[in-house]
Amino acid sequence: MATNLLRFLLLLLLLCGINMSARAAAPAVPFGDDINSGEYFNTTDFNINENTREIGTPVDFIEAIGAGANYLRVMQADITEDNAGNGTDGVDENPDDPDDGGWDWRLTSPPAPFSHSASSSPTNIYGVSGMGLIRAYQKLGTAETGLYTAITDAADYMAGNPGIRSSGDLIYLLRCDSLIPGMGYADAAKAKFDARIAAYGNAAHLADSIKNIRYSQGYANGIIAWDIGLWVQAAGMLEGMYPDDAYDYGQAAVDMAEVVWQDSFNDNPGYFDVEDDKGYDPSRANVNYWWYNIGLFGLITSFQYSGSHVSEIGFLVNRLLESQNRYGFFSYQWGGYDNDAGWQTTAYSVMALALVDQAAYQTEISHACYWTAATQDASGGWVYDTDEHLPEIGSENTVALYYAEPPQMVIVDDDFISQEAVDAYNIANGTGYLWGYDAFATITDGIAGATVRTVSVLDGFYTVPINIEGDSPGGKSISISIIGSGQLNTVFQPTSTVAWNVGGYNRQAAIRVVNADVTFQNMTMDFDLIKASETAGILYWNATGEISGNLIQNMNVPDNFNGYREITSYFRAPDYTPESRAHVDILNNTFLKTGRIGIVTHDYVDATIDGNTFDKVDDDFGYAIEMGSASTGIISNNVFANYDTWAASDASTVAAILVENLFTQGVTTPIEKTVLIENNEMYHCQYGIYIGSDYVGLAGDVDINATIKNNNIHDNITSGSYSVGGIVLVEKNMAVGSSLSAVIDSNQILNNVYNGIYMYTEGSGDISAEITYNTIEGHYNGIRVAEFISKASNFDLMVHHNILSNGLNARDDIAGGYWDDGISTGNCWSDYETNSGYPDQYNVDGNAGTIDRFPNIYCGDLCDCWPGNANNDAGLNLLDVTSLISYLYKTGSAPVPYSICSGDADCNCSVNLLDITRMISYIYKSGTPPCDCETWVDNCGWPPSKSTITNSALMWHQTAESISAPAGSSGREEGTIHPAPAYR
């Protein structure tokens, strides 16, 4: 049991000027065995200034450790001029520090500046005051200027001065040796340790002496175990570095650890007893309670580094955790009381937990470090409310921050206003969130200071704009997923914006993501309160990530209110390359009222846009998607509606999807721009898809390679007499290397008023198109090919296996050639029997002399064939079997209407004995029925040409109605379409 020397302690307190009513911790200073302790160590309490920043404000641990290290650098009596930044020695150094590489014990700022005084540095605090530099350098490398110099200034001076020999000094030199090998720092530490052992006789006597001197000073408390624990650590580190030395450093560590075990656990003599000194006195009158938790640090360190009494460590850790306050700090005395905060005890508690198992206690460590960083002064140090600050405390706190990690998940709730509110949530949900560390009121606070994090946003209404910026492209340090609790529950409706501050633009955004990887999921993004021209709801610049499962709405600004450049989302990656693109996924969202453009991509972005619904809703100008300049991507499984209003200001055409290669005029090395548009539905738009280079002088050597497949483009329409249709292909910049290649395959292009597919150039265009297996019905022009101004463009068209039923099925004034597969199959033409080429060919209307040599008549439906029904009657029966036998073995008539499809019962793309046996098995033995027509088309392709169709099959199942050009249009001589200028 510790003896209460009340009279002695009262006298000591009076002599040292202790404020008995002070509410904060007296810092502990390393034991110095031959120095005047009264000069370098006193027990004056300081009140911690916990209002440096408001608790609950996010912190950045990297910034905090950097600031702490820089504070230590400027507080050093630098040797290498002028590393501390206070002037050159003998010239303008102010104050004129002693150039001894050390630190003051205590300073007051203001009025004194944050710099070393003119006094010599105390010899027992070099190591503890410099250790923060080492840990910061290990964390930051060379990021903070001058850290390496400050470290070596101190180490060199310490190594050469035998009077600098506290435990912390030895540990500092040993860590320096690992950090900067070859400088002899470990040998210097070894020599200092050996000298202490020689002076005291053995390690146990050294530990006993420390214990007894601290007791005689009036400190029968945790400072004893703390002091001895650091000597055990030094011995353990020496054993690791000098395992073959004649002196047994490992045994020295065991012997010293035994001293503290006897004192703390065996009541021998019980100066610091882990049970009897476990208490809390709000007046701090009971000295035995002081430094309880740094005493636990000393015990844990002793047992961990010596390997003795390790069975006590679990108990000690649990006892330590009993003193962590709900705000994160560890208290000066036992218990974690609100009014007992301690910077030093928090720092050493963090070090103890990290020493035992950092991964297991990372949450507790980071909670403590949050409080430490939140109470850091702007100077980078930690300043008491008396304006006093201790470099030792600054170093210990900086060491603690070395172990801090931002949380992997945080929670955001607009109802959080303090730790009390978070505590209520914790109690209700069995969680342990800390206000300001991993619990916040705004999404912006939730992402602040993050590197890798999931931000879980609870039900609520969030109005603060979001700004996320990481490192340069390719080295992004921020990867964040912001996950709402559902579209109806988590509503982001910003009331203000942030400036882009990239690319030289004077634009605003509600969500700004730069050089980061960010995901947004499961929320409503409502931009109604910030919508304006030159404003984007979402900006991704040199950024990657995912936007999925959201409702994104309300960017429409009418034309007559300057609503020409309001953008729902803008993705651009100028600092990536064609070989290494910034990828974004935009999945399963609902976009409503999307302004000028719902999604625009530029430069070296690669986007997957899948499963979304786009609805313009209002009669307001704008596209759903613009995949512009050199960007690439996949646009699939989306639904587009109501992009049908051309621009009131200049009558610019709109479409659901715009793909262009403009603003690439600086590109001289060819770039392939690949775009896949697949399985989408587009209706009630002016055009479904508009692809190409439609402004001369704005494109470079960028080749668009588009695949348009399995889309349903139907019932598109606009007001007035303006052009409307399904697909537009246009190219005007062949002279600079621009080109357009398109595969248009298996689409339903139906009832789009004027044009099904419209291709044109203006004298310097390069278009290649493969148009196959499409149904193009219900237009004035089914397929239109034209060139304007001159006849210098390149067209390379392959058109076959299409069904066309339109007012004018096709007109080609420039491309020419044959619209068939060159073998046996062309297209199905609704007006074939009235065409001038009937019955041998189909002559395409226009000036180019285009011919379909193998027009297919029986094609109103791709599945008019009935596999197995060889005689084309009403059912599958014996007559089909006999017809097949006669055809195969007796030179009988071929199956009708298609010899191969109608007779191919097993869909293996040939008629043979296997088809006969399958039919017999099905009719008489309940075997597998013949396959269906859809399977046959999937396996074998489209039915063959008229050359294999019997006369009885010459029929057309869908007669084109009389389709006229829209009133006021130019009909067959329609010119170029006036597109909207690409957004940039």
Short mmCIF file of all heavy atoms in Angstrom, two decimals, residues 817-820 826-827 829 831-844 849-857 946:
data_model
loop_
_atom_site.label_atom_id
_atom_site.label_comp_id
_atom_site.label_asym_id
_atom_site.label_seq_id
_atom_site.Cartn_x
_atom_site.Cartn_y
_atom_site.Cartn_z
N GLY A 817 -23.40 0.73 -104.78
CA GLY A 817 -23.02 -0.65 -104.49
C GLY A 817 -24.21 -1.55 -104.32
O GLY A 817 -25.32 -1.27 -104.78
N TYR A 818 -23.98 -2.68 -103.63
CA TYR A 818 -24.99 -3.72 -103.47
C TYR A 818 -25.40 -3.84 -102.01
O TYR A 818 -24.55 -3.97 -101.12
CB TYR A 818 -24.45 -5.06 -103.97
CG TYR A 818 -24.06 -5.04 -105.43
CD1 TYR A 818 -22.71 -5.05 -105.79
CD2 TYR A 818 -25.03 -4.99 -106.42
CE1 TYR A 818 -22.35 -5.03 -107.13
CE2 TYR A 818 -24.67 -4.96 -107.76
CZ TYR A 818 -23.33 -4.97 -108.12
OH TYR A 818 -22.98 -4.93 -109.45
N TRP A 819 -26.70 -3.78 -101.77
CA TRP A 819 -27.22 -3.92 -100.41
C TRP A 819 -27.71 -5.37 -100.24
O TRP A 819 -28.90 -5.66 -100.23
CB TRP A 819 -28.35 -2.93 -100.17
CG TRP A 819 -27.83 -1.53 -99.95
CD1 TRP A 819 -26.57 -1.06 -100.17
CD2 TRP A 819 -28.58 -0.41 -99.46
NE1 TRP A 819 -26.47 0.26 -99.86
CE2 TRP A 819 -27.70 0.70 -99.41
CE3 TRP A 819 -29.92 -0.23 -99.08
CZ2 TRP A 819 -28.12 1.96 -98.98
CZ3 TRP A 819 -30.32 1.03 -98.65
CH2 TRP A 819 -29.43 2.12 -98.59
N ASP A 820 -26.76 -6.27 -100.13
CA ASP A 820 -27.03 -7.67 -99.85
C ASP A 820 -25.75 -8.26 -99.28
O ASP A 820 -24.73 -7.58 -99.15
CB ASP A 820 -27.49 -8.41 -101.10
CG ASP A 820 -26.55 -8.21 -102.27
OD1 ASP A 820 -25.34 -8.52 -102.12
OD2 ASP A 820 -27.00 -7.75 -103.33
N GLY A 826 -30.52 -10.62 -99.32
CA GLY A 826 -30.53 -9.16 -99.24
C GLY A 826 -31.44 -8.72 -98.12
O GLY A 826 -31.28 -9.13 -96.97
N ASN A 827 -32.41 -7.89 -98.44
CA ASN A 827 -33.32 -7.34 -97.46
C ASN A 827 -34.76 -7.65 -97.85
O ASN A 827 -35.06 -8.03 -98.98
CB ASN A 827 -33.15 -5.83 -97.38
CG ASN A 827 -31.73 -5.44 -97.05
OD1 ASN A 827 -31.31 -5.45 -95.91
ND2 ASN A 827 -30.94 -5.10 -98.09
N TRP A 829 -38.25 -6.05 -98.59
CA TRP A 829 -38.78 -4.75 -98.99
C TRP A 829 -40.30 -4.84 -99.13
O TRP A 829 -40.82 -5.66 -99.89
CB TRP A 829 -38.19 -4.34 -100.34
CG TRP A 829 -36.68 -4.36 -100.38
CD1 TRP A 829 -35.88 -5.37 -100.79
CD2 TRP A 829 -35.82 -3.29 -99.98
NE1 TRP A 829 -34.56 -5.02 -100.70
CE2 TRP A 829 -34.48 -3.74 -100.20
CE3 TRP A 829 -36.03 -2.00 -99.49
CZ2 TRP A 829 -33.37 -2.95 -99.93
CZ3 TRP A 829 -34.93 -1.21 -99.22
CH2 TRP A 829 -33.61 -1.68 -99.43
N ASP A 831 -42.23 -2.94 -100.68
CA ASP A 831 -42.67 -2.52 -102.01
C ASP A 831 -41.94 -3.26 -103.12
O ASP A 831 -41.82 -2.77 -104.24
CB ASP A 831 -42.47 -1.01 -102.17
CG ASP A 831 -41.02 -0.60 -102.00
OD1 ASP A 831 -40.21 -1.41 -101.46
OD2 ASP A 831 -40.67 0.54 -102.37
N TYR A 832 -41.45 -4.46 -102.80
CA TYR A 832 -40.64 -5.17 -103.79
C TYR A 832 -41.40 -5.41 -105.09
O TYR A 832 -40.87 -5.19 -106.19
CB TYR A 832 -40.16 -6.50 -103.21
CG TYR A 832 -39.53 -7.41 -104.23
CD1 TYR A 832 -38.36 -7.02 -104.91
CD2 TYR A 832 -40.11 -8.63 -104.56
CE1 TYR A 832 -37.79 -7.83 -105.86
CE2 TYR A 832 -39.53 -9.45 -105.51
CZ TYR A 832 -38.37 -9.05 -106.15
OH TYR A 832 -37.80 -9.86 -107.09
N GLU A 833 -42.65 -5.84 -105.01
CA GLU A 833 -43.36 -6.20 -106.23
C GLU A 833 -43.65 -4.98 -107.11
O GLU A 833 -43.93 -5.14 -108.30
CB GLU A 833 -44.66 -6.92 -105.87
CG GLU A 833 -44.42 -8.28 -105.23
CD GLU A 833 -45.70 -9.06 -105.05
OE1 GLU A 833 -46.56 -9.02 -105.96
OE2 GLU A 833 -45.86 -9.70 -103.99
N THR A 834 -43.59 -3.78 -106.55
CA THR A 834 -43.80 -2.58 -107.38
C THR A 834 -42.49 -1.89 -107.73
O THR A 834 -42.49 -0.84 -108.37
CB THR A 834 -44.71 -1.59 -106.64
OG1 THR A 834 -44.09 -1.19 -105.41
CG2 THR A 834 -46.06 -2.23 -106.34
N ASN A 835 -41.38 -2.48 -107.30
CA ASN A 835 -40.07 -1.87 -107.57
C ASN A 835 -39.66 -2.11 -109.02
O ASN A 835 -39.99 -3.14 -109.61
CB ASN A 835 -39.03 -2.46 -106.61
CG ASN A 835 -37.67 -1.82 -106.77
OD1 ASN A 835 -36.83 -2.33 -107.51
ND2 ASN A 835 -37.45 -0.73 -106.06
N SER A 836 -38.88 -1.18 -109.57
CA SER A 836 -38.48 -1.29 -110.98
C SER A 836 -37.59 -2.49 -111.25
O SER A 836 -37.47 -2.92 -112.39
CB SER A 836 -37.76 0.00 -111.39
OG SER A 836 -36.59 0.19 -110.61
N GLY A 837 -36.98 -3.06 -110.21
CA GLY A 837 -36.11 -4.21 -110.43
C GLY A 837 -36.80 -5.55 -110.32
O GLY A 837 -36.17 -6.60 -110.55
N TYR A 838 -38.08 -5.53 -109.95
CA TYR A 838 -38.83 -6.79 -109.78
C TYR A 838 -38.89 -7.54 -111.11
O TYR A 838 -39.08 -6.92 -112.16
CB TYR A 838 -40.24 -6.47 -109.29
CG TYR A 838 -41.13 -7.67 -109.10
CD1 TYR A 838 -41.05 -8.42 -107.94
CD2 TYR A 838 -42.02 -8.06 -110.10
CE1 TYR A 838 -41.86 -9.54 -107.76
CE2 TYR A 838 -42.83 -9.17 -109.93
CZ TYR A 838 -42.75 -9.91 -108.76
OH TYR A 838 -43.55 -11.00 -108.59
N PRO A 839 -38.74 -8.88 -111.16
CA PRO A 839 -38.63 -9.79 -110.02
C PRO A 839 -37.19 -10.18 -109.70
O PRO A 839 -36.95 -10.97 -108.79
CB PRO A 839 -39.40 -11.02 -110.50
CG PRO A 839 -39.10 -11.06 -111.96
CD PRO A 839 -39.01 -9.63 -112.42
N ASP A 840 -36.20 -9.69 -110.43
CA ASP A 840 -34.84 -10.19 -110.28
C ASP A 840 -34.01 -9.46 -109.22
O ASP A 840 -33.04 -10.02 -108.71
CB ASP A 840 -34.11 -10.08 -111.63
CG ASP A 840 -34.79 -10.92 -112.70
OD1 ASP A 840 -35.17 -12.06 -112.37
OD2 ASP A 840 -34.94 -10.43 -113.82
N GLN A 841 -34.34 -8.22 -108.93
CA GLN A 841 -33.54 -7.46 -107.97
C GLN A 841 -34.39 -6.32 -107.42
O GLN A 841 -35.53 -6.11 -107.84
CB GLN A 841 -32.29 -6.90 -108.62
CG GLN A 841 -32.58 -5.90 -109.76
CD GLN A 841 -31.33 -5.49 -110.51
OE1 GLN A 841 -30.38 -6.27 -110.62
NE2 GLN A 841 -31.32 -4.27 -111.04
N TYR A 842 -33.81 -5.58 -106.48
CA TYR A 842 -34.49 -4.41 -105.93
C TYR A 842 -33.59 -3.21 -106.17
O TYR A 842 -32.42 -3.19 -105.77
CB TYR A 842 -34.73 -4.57 -104.42
CG TYR A 842 -35.52 -3.44 -103.81
CD1 TYR A 842 -36.90 -3.50 -103.73
CD2 TYR A 842 -34.88 -2.30 -103.31
CE1 TYR A 842 -37.65 -2.46 -103.18
CE2 TYR A 842 -35.61 -1.26 -102.76
CZ TYR A 842 -37.00 -1.35 -102.69
OH TYR A 842 -37.73 -0.31 -102.14
N ASN A 843 -34.11 -2.21 -106.91
CA ASN A 843 -33.37 -0.99 -107.20
C ASN A 843 -33.68 0.06 -106.14
O ASN A 843 -34.81 0.55 -106.04
CB ASN A 843 -33.74 -0.46 -108.58
CG ASN A 843 -33.36 -1.43 -109.68
OD1 ASN A 843 -32.35 -2.14 -109.57
ND2 ASN A 843 -34.16 -1.49 -110.74
N VAL A 844 -32.66 0.40 -105.32
CA VAL A 844 -32.85 1.38 -104.26
C VAL A 844 -33.02 2.76 -104.87
O VAL A 844 -32.29 3.15 -105.79
CB VAL A 844 -31.65 1.35 -103.30
CG1 VAL A 844 -31.78 2.45 -102.23
CG2 VAL A 844 -31.53 -0.02 -102.62
N GLY A 849 -27.53 4.48 -107.75
CA GLY A 849 -27.66 3.22 -108.48
C GLY A 849 -27.49 1.99 -107.60
O GLY A 849 -27.01 0.94 -108.04
N THR A 850 -27.90 2.07 -106.37
CA THR A 850 -27.74 0.97 -105.41
C THR A 850 -28.73 -0.15 -105.71
O THR A 850 -29.91 0.11 -106.02
CB THR A 850 -27.97 1.50 -103.99
OG1 THR A 850 -27.12 2.62 -103.78
CG2 THR A 850 -27.66 0.43 -102.96
N ILE A 851 -28.27 -1.40 -105.60
CA ILE A 851 -29.08 -2.57 -105.97
C ILE A 851 -29.02 -3.60 -104.85
O ILE A 851 -27.97 -3.86 -104.28
CB ILE A 851 -28.57 -3.21 -107.28
CG1 ILE A 851 -28.70 -2.22 -108.45
CG2 ILE A 851 -29.31 -4.50 -107.58
CD1 ILE A 851 -28.03 -2.70 -109.71
N ASP A 852 -30.16 -4.21 -104.56
CA ASP A 852 -30.22 -5.43 -103.74
C ASP A 852 -30.45 -6.58 -104.71
O ASP A 852 -31.50 -6.69 -105.34
CB ASP A 852 -31.37 -5.33 -102.73
CG ASP A 852 -31.50 -6.57 -101.85
OD1 ASP A 852 -30.81 -7.58 -102.12
OD2 ASP A 852 -32.30 -6.52 -100.88
N ARG A 853 -29.43 -7.46 -104.85
CA ARG A 853 -29.51 -8.54 -105.83
C ARG A 853 -30.31 -9.73 -105.34
O ARG A 853 -30.71 -10.57 -106.13
CB ARG A 853 -28.09 -9.00 -106.19
CG ARG A 853 -27.28 -7.93 -106.94
CD ARG A 853 -25.82 -8.30 -107.01
NE ARG A 853 -25.19 -8.32 -105.67
CZ ARG A 853 -23.90 -8.58 -105.46
NH1 ARG A 853 -23.11 -8.88 -106.49
NH2 ARG A 853 -23.42 -8.56 -104.24
N PHE A 854 -30.53 -9.83 -104.03
CA PHE A 854 -31.22 -11.01 -103.48
C PHE A 854 -32.33 -10.58 -102.52
O PHE A 854 -32.33 -10.95 -101.34
CB PHE A 854 -30.22 -11.90 -102.74
CG PHE A 854 -28.99 -12.21 -103.52
CD1 PHE A 854 -27.77 -11.62 -103.19
CD2 PHE A 854 -29.04 -13.11 -104.59
CE1 PHE A 854 -26.63 -11.92 -103.90
CE2 PHE A 854 -27.89 -13.40 -105.31
CZ PHE A 854 -26.67 -12.80 -104.98
N PRO A 855 -33.27 -9.80 -102.99
CA PRO A 855 -34.33 -9.36 -102.07
C PRO A 855 -35.15 -10.56 -101.57
O PRO A 855 -35.45 -11.47 -102.33
CB PRO A 855 -35.18 -8.43 -102.94
CG PRO A 855 -34.91 -8.86 -104.35
CD PRO A 855 -33.49 -9.31 -104.37
N ASN A 856 -35.44 -10.56 -100.32
CA ASN A 856 -36.19 -11.65 -99.69
C ASN A 856 -37.62 -11.19 -99.50
O ASN A 856 -37.89 -10.19 -98.85
CB ASN A 856 -35.56 -12.01 -98.34
CG ASN A 856 -36.06 -13.33 -97.82
OD1 ASN A 856 -37.22 -13.67 -98.02
ND2 ASN A 856 -35.19 -14.06 -97.16
N ILE A 857 -38.56 -11.95 -100.07
CA ILE A 857 -39.95 -11.53 -100.08
C ILE A 857 -40.67 -11.95 -98.80
O ILE A 857 -41.40 -11.19 -98.18
CB ILE A 857 -40.68 -12.12 -101.29
CG1 ILE A 857 -39.96 -11.70 -102.57
CG2 ILE A 857 -42.13 -11.66 -101.32
CD1 ILE A 857 -40.39 -12.49 -103.76
N LYS A 946 -35.06 -15.38 -101.95
CA LYS A 946 -36.18 -15.84 -102.76
C LYS A 946 -35.79 -16.98 -103.70
O LYS A 946 -36.65 -17.69 -104.19
CB LYS A 946 -36.73 -14.68 -103.59
CG LYS A 946 -35.76 -14.18 -104.67
CD LYS A 946 -36.35 -13.03 -105.45
CE LYS A 946 -35.39 -12.54 -106.52
NZ LYS A 946 -35.16 -13.53 -107.58
#
